Amino acid sequence: YTIRNFTVEEAKALIYTDTYKKVIDDIKDATGVTPIHVNDFPQILSEGRALLEKGKDKYIKAEINDDEMSTLIYTSGTTGNPKGVMLSQRNIISNARNVIEYVQVIGSSMLVLPIHHTFGFTASVVAVMLFGQPIAINTSLRTFLPEIKIFKPQSIFVVPMFIEAIYKKIWKNIEQKKLTAVFKGLIKTSNGLRKIGIDKRQKMFKMVTDSFGGNLDMLISGGAPLDSAYCDFFESIGITLLNGYGITECSPIVAVNPLNNNRIGSVGMVLPETHVKIINKDESGNGEVCVTGSSAMLGYYKNKEATDDAFDDMWFKTGDIGRLDEDNFLYISGRKKNLIILANGKNIYPEEIEELIMRIPEVIETVVYSENEVITAEVYTENQEAVRTAIRNLNKGLPIYKHIKNIKFRNTEFEKTTTKKIKRNTVVNN
């Protein structure tokens, strides 16, 4: 099957764990693939060594085409049906190589993201391996915070949900020790000292960093918008939080804030070997973000129509709205599909309002959308009255056309993808 001058072959084998043992026979019968249990790997390796000793080295001598598909990763499906993204070895390796031009990993890292998604694999695995640093693998989301203390990582690549978890953990511990006023005072003092060139954060906030193993000094966030208030907070206590931007179709990282030039509010500087242009700009310079370069995908698997629609010549249309500044730093406003256009012609990016709502301490999750020409906030919280009051106060600081006039409360979390992003289409379309 040819897409963008590339031939795809069907899968021949399937590697599985006990979790999927019950469905393997059905998959084998339906597809004809050869199932391989992960526990069989020692035996397979032993057989392979025996073949090598007999001079059968065909596998080792096999030539690798860097520009053929090496992995097929499905989009998260937050706003529509998932599509299979075909990536080559050149796509992935060049992306990882360009990331480390901006972000240096000098100690152990901790893998918390699923490696069947590009950010987890390219950033948390390949980029860290290029530095030759060890990677500890987090067991599960439930053990995320305890295992930071055990593994003592220097860096972690995360999505905003993890940033929020660490942030809340810090403040919960401070409040339990009745040190809130003292802690805020330390932050104010530390920030003042730094303005005159004195950095005492390592000593002043040792009680915080020790609770995360004592070595954590860098967090790199991608996959979803990140409130710049988190960047300010972590910087204040001596943990650098770098915001980045990417999309599966670009292997995935398009931009990240360099370690030596962290521009809070931006999703970072466009990577080397990656080019970004903004099309259909509005009066503020915001338009659709288009990307080309060594990391751009080969195409969508068995979906020529979607592939052709996604590209304008060699430029991949991300569907995200943003702007570039004069230094090639990228700023993202929201998703094109999420854009709310009111009857009066005003454009509203729901992500902007969601960021403001998420600053309300009692809010756990929220999604903003338009319902019958009314800005609606659907909120998951355990304190509805506090949220209702806070949103009324929030409206006072917003232009009238951005006022949240309808609040819906839910009793359960929003449905999410495996990378813990809310599936907006299951909310807005219902």
Side-chain angles (χ1 to χ4, degrees), residues 86 222 242 265 405:
M86 301 189 298
L242 302 175
K405 296 181 180 179

Side-chain angles (χ1 to χ4, degrees), residues 127-189:
V128 177
M129 287 175 65
L130 290 176
F131 281 108
Q133 298 296 349
I135 305 169
I137 302 176
N138 172 227
T139 307
S140 70
L141 289 177
R142 290 184 299 101
T143 59
F144 167 60
L145 291 172
E147 288 185 352
I148 290 180
K149 199 166 185 177
I150 296 171
F151 295 147
K152 306 181 188 302
Q154 178 264 341
S155 65
I156 311 178
F157 291 82
V158 294
V159 291
M161 184 193 72
F162 291 93
I163 299 298
E164 293 162 10
I166 295 173
Y167 178 84
K168 290 176 181 178
K169 173 71 172 175
I170 291 172
W171 281 109
K172 183 178 180 180
N173 288 343
I174 295 299
E175 289 166 4
Q176 287 177 342
K177 295 175 182 177
K178 302 186 185 304
L179 294 172
T180 303
V182 174
F183 191 68
K184 289 181 177 179
L186 284 174
I187 290 177
K188 187 175 181 179
T189 301

Side-chain angles (χ1 to χ4, degrees), residues 221-333:
S221 178
L226 178 68
D227 191 336
S228 58
Y230 290 125
C231 298
D232 291 328
F233 170 77
F234 283 101
E235 189 68 26
S236 294
I237 65 173
I239 299 175
T240 299
L241 173 53
L242 302 175
N243 201 1
Y245 163 76
I247 188 166
T248 304
E249 289 88 342
C250 293
S251 305
I253 303 165
V254 173
V256 68
N257 273 283
L259 192 56
N260 61 356
N261 190 8
N262 189 10
R263 193 165 295 187
I264 294 176
S266 166
V267 295
M269 182 182 286
V270 176
L271 294 184
E273 298 184 29
T274 298
H275 306 279
V276 169
K277 71 175 181 179
I278 309 297
I279 63 173
N280 302 323
K281 297 179 185 178
D282 62 17
E283 64 277 5
S284 301
N286 281 296
E288 184 171 6
V289 178
C290 298
V291 182
T292 191
S294 59
S295 299
M297 70 169 178
L298 300 169
Y300 292 119
Y301 182 61
K302 289 191 173 183
N303 199 335
K304 186 177 186 303
E305 183 180 353
T307 301
D308 291 343
D309 186 57
F311 282 88
D312 180 5
D313 193 15
M314 294 305 296
W315 291 90
F316 172 70
K317 298 178 290 184
T318 66
D320 289 311
I321 302 297
R323 64 181 177 85
L324 276 174
D325 70 11
E326 63 279 4
D327 298 318
N328 215 26
F329 277 81
L330 182 63
Y331 298 78
I332 297 295
S333 304

